[in-house]
Amino acid sequence: MAETESVIGTPDSAPDAAEAEERPKGRRRIVALFVVAVLAYLIDLGSKIVVVEKLEGREPIKVIGDLLRFEAIRNPGAAFGMGEAFTIVFTCIAAAVIVVIVRLARKLYSLPWAIALGLLLGGALGNLTDRLFRSPGVFEGAVVDFIAPAHFAVFNLADSAIVCGGILIVILSFRGLDPDGTVHKD
């Protein structure tokens, strides 16, 4: 009888209730995306402030023998210092990534995707902030890098967030999970 009552209930109330249940679910995912992005951004920004204040112009700090050191460098290019003449292009790419993520957020119903996109957004904002506000000038600023593993490129926490977000997106894609929360088996 309870089933009959719920089926017979007012026809207008059922769709509204279903929509109301979906809306908070979507909002929570958007909030998660922005919380992760803000945390990634603030941790990156804080680390760069400390590095510029305490490490720039000084000898590198050995963290794990010769395997890992902290060394402040300014990188006007991309990974491995490539593309130094294209700083404005990297600035535009970072801005475009931010716009795409913000637009995608409206359709976001998956928590893992929210975390992955939040990491990408926070990292992109971190490096974009350097490109906009660090010397030599707007759209030409050099990114502060400081994590220097042996035989590898020097990078920062924004780069780490971007890479971790990218890896998570690849994993989610291989598992068939879409940003809207649907799962497909291809």
Side-chain angles (χ1 to χ4, degrees):
M1 179 113 171
E3 284 183 299
T4 308
E5 288 175 6
S6 65
V7 172
I8 297 175
T10 58
D12 293 334
S13 65
D16 290 338
E19 288 176 17
E21 285 182 23
E22 286 184 26
R23 276 189 223 124
K25 189 176 183 182
R27 281 192 208 122
R28 276 187 288 225
R29 300 316 182 246
I30 292 170
V31 168
L33 181 150
F34 287 112
V35 166
V36 170
V38 166
L39 285 173
Y41 176 73
L42 291 176
I43 291 169
D44 175 66
L45 183 62
S47 68
K48 289 174 180 175
I49 290 170
V50 170
V51 165
V52 168
E53 183 181 312
K54 303 284 185 187
L55 191 58
E56 200 166 53
R58 297 194 175 118
E59 289 295 314
I61 298 171
K62 289 186 178 184
V63 179
I64 304 174
D66 291 332
L67 295 177
L68 179 65
R69 68 187 190 287
F70 291 154
E71 177 180 7
I73 67 162
R74 299 288 181 117
N75 181 4
F80 302 99
M82 296 185 304
E84 290 182 15
F86 299 104
T87 303
I88 194 160
V89 173
F90 300 130
T91 304
C92 293
I93 291 170
V97 166
I98 291 166
V99 169
V100 167
I101 291 171
V102 170
R103 289 184 55 107
L104 182 60
R106 295 181 302 183
K107 299 177 184 180
L108 191 60
Y109 287 87
S110 165
L111 182 59
W113 270 93
I115 293 168
L117 293 173
L119 289 169
L120 284 177
L121 181 59
L125 284 169
N127 285 339
L128 182 61
T129 299
D130 283 356
R131 300 233 183 254
L132 291 175
F133 299 111
R134 295 208 187 267
S135 63
V138 177
F139 296 112
E140 297 177 353
V143 174
V144 175
D145 288 332
F146 63 94
I147 303 168
H151 314 294
F152 195 71
V154 181
F155 59 95
N156 59 45
L157 295 178
D159 299 332
S160 297
I162 291 168
V163 169
C164 290
I167 290 170
L168 185 53
I169 286 171
V170 169
I171 292 169
L172 295 172
S173 296
F174 276 123
R175 295 191 74 200
L177 181 61
D178 290 333
D180 65 1
T182 59
V183 179
H184 63 274
K185 303 284 185 196
D186 286 34

